[in-house]
């Protein structure tokens, strides 16, 4: 019975939040926080959510990314202006120069003049980019 109440609560919450779409337009991400403290964010453009496995799983997709979440592990779901996962997305419009790029195991994959050349050269994935003494995580799609 407990699972049934949880499913009804989540469905009601999702419907309520989708009803707030007009107010959420200022927030480009829907974020989920998990019981272990980790988090994931999804851009709200083309966002869809469906339940699977009798309501125990939530499938979240925004067109470019899809993830299946265990409903029992979600502690918080909220709209935000920032991607709480801490991963940036490199787009061709970025014009940063002198990028040193490393894979997640720390191996240098190359040095690039700008984000456009990085995006066109490396395989999709997660990388560490060092520029001007600062390092950030990026996701190349």
């Amino acid at each position: 019975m407990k699972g049934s109440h949880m499913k009804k609560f989540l469905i009601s919450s999702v419907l309520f939040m989708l009803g707030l779409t007009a107010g959420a337009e200022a927030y480009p991400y829907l974020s989920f926080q998990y019981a272990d403290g980790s988090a994931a964010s999804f851009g709200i453009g083309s966002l869809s959510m469906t339940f699977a496995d009798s309501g125990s799983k939530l499938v979240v997709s925004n067109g470019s990314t899809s993830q299946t979440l265990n409903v029992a592990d979600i502690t918080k779901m909220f709209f935000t202006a920032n991607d709480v996962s801490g991963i940036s997305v490199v787009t061709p419009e970025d014009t940063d120069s002198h990028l040193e790029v490393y894979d997640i195991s720390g191996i240098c994959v190359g040095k690039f003049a700008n984000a456009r050349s990085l995006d066109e050269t490396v395989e999709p994935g997660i990388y560490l980019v060092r520029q001007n003494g600062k390092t950030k995580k990026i996701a190349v799609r």
Side-chain angles (χ1 to χ4, degrees):
M1 197 63 148
K2 182 178 180 183
S4 176
H5 291 303
M6 176 63 108
K7 181 178 176 182
K8 288 179 184 177
F9 172 75
L10 278 173
I11 290 172
S12 298
S13 298
V14 168
L15 292 175
F16 175 73
M17 283 198 281
L18 291 176
L20 296 176
T21 303
E25 287 176 359
Y27 301 102
Y29 296 98
L30 176 62
S31 299
F32 296 87
Q33 186 170 356
Y34 307 110
D36 67 1
S38 63
S41 295
F42 297 87
I44 61 170
S46 303
L47 184 69
S48 69
M49 293 185 286
T50 57
F51 287 97
D53 292 338
S54 301
S56 66
K57 307 273 187 201
L58 179 64
V59 181
V60 182
S61 177
N62 68 355
S64 62
T65 304
S66 182
Q67 190 170 353
T68 302
L69 314 173
N70 287 320
V71 172
D73 296 337
I74 300 171
T75 59
K76 187 176 179 183
M77 181 169 61
F78 55 98
F79 289 103
T80 181
N82 302 311
D83 181 350
V84 298
S85 65
I87 298 174
S88 303
V89 176
V90 172
T91 62
E93 294 79 32
D94 290 339
T95 57
D96 298 336
S97 60
H98 310 291
L99 305 170
E100 296 175 27
V101 181
Y102 300 86
D103 65 16
I104 56 173
S105 63
I107 297 172
C108 183
V109 295
K111 295 182 180 182
F112 300 89
N114 55 48
R116 178 178 295 237
S117 63
L118 164 66
D119 190 47
E120 293 172 351
T121 306
V122 300
E123 295 291 321
I126 309 268
Y127 296 91
L128 300 172
V129 176
R130 183 167 173 82
Q131 178 192 24
N132 298 329
K134 295 181 181 178
T135 304
K136 68 179 180 177
K137 290 185 287 185
I138 64 163
V140 176
R141 297 182 183 183

